[in-house]
Amino acid sequence: GTSWRLVAPDQAGFGRTPIPPGSRGGLRLWTEQAAGLMDALGAEHYAVVGHSMGGAVALALAAARPEQVTHVVAVSTMGAPGAPLSAELDAVWAAPAGPLGARDMLSRLVFDQALVTESAVAARADAMRAGAAAYASLFPPPRARWADDLTLSAQTLAGIRAPVLLVHGAEDRVTPLGTAALPLLEHLADVRLHVLGRCGHVPQLEHPHDFTRLLSCFLGRERGH
């Protein structure tokens, strides 16, 4: 099959990428950061894949860079106009760093609770502790305003030229199908939605074979077909 060059950056405030002084993060910063990174790498054309709030960034990047972005995959995405902050997303954003918060967060993210293993909880807890200070500054309460910051206007969505694949879990409680994915179908010019049953907020973890097949098939299409 086709081989891809994969660029997987940390967004500002996550992993090891700091937030620039005087900024609070947010959709605009993350979109500019992604566009700037791809410019610096000299990438003239590229596909964008984003998960959850990263899906909103992927859609915003496609709107901002219509000449560069060839395909968008938005997984369990945020970004739909008027989408409310779910109680589950509020809880995920509020989860305290450490094993208890990590277990609580993971249990909300997946449909099959067997995936919440001791090793998964430990790895998540380590990641949460490492980035705790920056992360706490990103989504202080009241959190509805940060969900609002991650929504795109109808005008922005209408400006996306690239074909968009939405992948969503039927049992996603963090970004529910009805408020997160379905409204986007009305706003995007070239869109398809794939819904996986028995699946929560992380399809790539819960249904990896289906997910990989969907992605490679969609990204292998020529733009405009």
Side-chain angles (χ1 to χ4, degrees):
T2 316
S3 63
W4 296 86
R5 179 189 181 194
L6 179 65
V7 179
D10 288 331
Q11 295 185 150
F14 295 85
R16 296 182 183 171
T17 302
I19 297 173
S23 176
R24 196 212 62 81
L27 184 61
R28 187 172 169 184
L29 171 70
W30 293 322
T31 305
E32 289 171 355
Q33 180 193 14
L37 173 64
M38 298 312 285
D39 288 348
L41 292 172
E44 289 179 25
H45 301 289
Y46 49 89
V48 191
V49 182
H51 173 253
S52 197
M53 61 174 247
V57 176
L59 291 164
L61 182 58
R65 292 295 175 91
E67 300 300 324
Q68 280 84 28
V69 175
T70 60
H71 303 71
V72 180
V73 183
V75 185
S76 316
T77 194
M78 298 177 68
L85 173 67
S86 69
E88 295 288 321
L89 179 56
D90 194 30
V92 165
W93 275 350
L100 285 175
R103 184 177 298 281
D104 178 70
M105 180 190 278
L106 291 174
S107 71
R108 295 173 191 275
L109 294 179
V110 296
F111 173 74
D112 180 3
Q113 294 299 306
L115 291 168
V116 186
T117 60
E118 294 308 315
S119 61
V121 169
R124 170 61 66 170
D126 286 346
M128 289 169 82
R129 278 191 289 258
Y135 189 77
S137 75
L138 287 177
F139 306 114
R143 293 187 182 85
R145 57 191 162 150
W146 312 134
D148 289 344
D149 172 67
L150 285 158
T151 62
L152 284 75
S153 70
Q155 189 181 0
T156 298
L157 291 167
I160 295 174
R161 285 194 230 162
V164 179
L165 169 65
L166 303 173
V167 183
H168 224 91
E171 283 79 30
D172 188 340
R173 304 195 310 268
V174 177
T175 53
L177 179 68
T179 53
L182 293 180
L184 288 171
L185 297 177
E186 298 166 33
H187 293 286
L188 294 162
D190 184 354
V191 61
R192 69 277 304 131
L193 166 63
H194 193 97
V195 181
L196 291 155
R198 302 186 62 78
C199 182
H201 188 62
V202 205
Q204 63 275 33
L205 192 76
E206 299 182 76
H207 294 274
H209 300 297
D210 283 342
F211 183 79
T212 308
R213 203 168 64 240
L214 280 168
L215 227 65
S216 59
C217 180
F218 176 68
L219 294 177
R221 296 164 16 124
E222 289 297 315
R223 183 173 176 167
H225 291 281

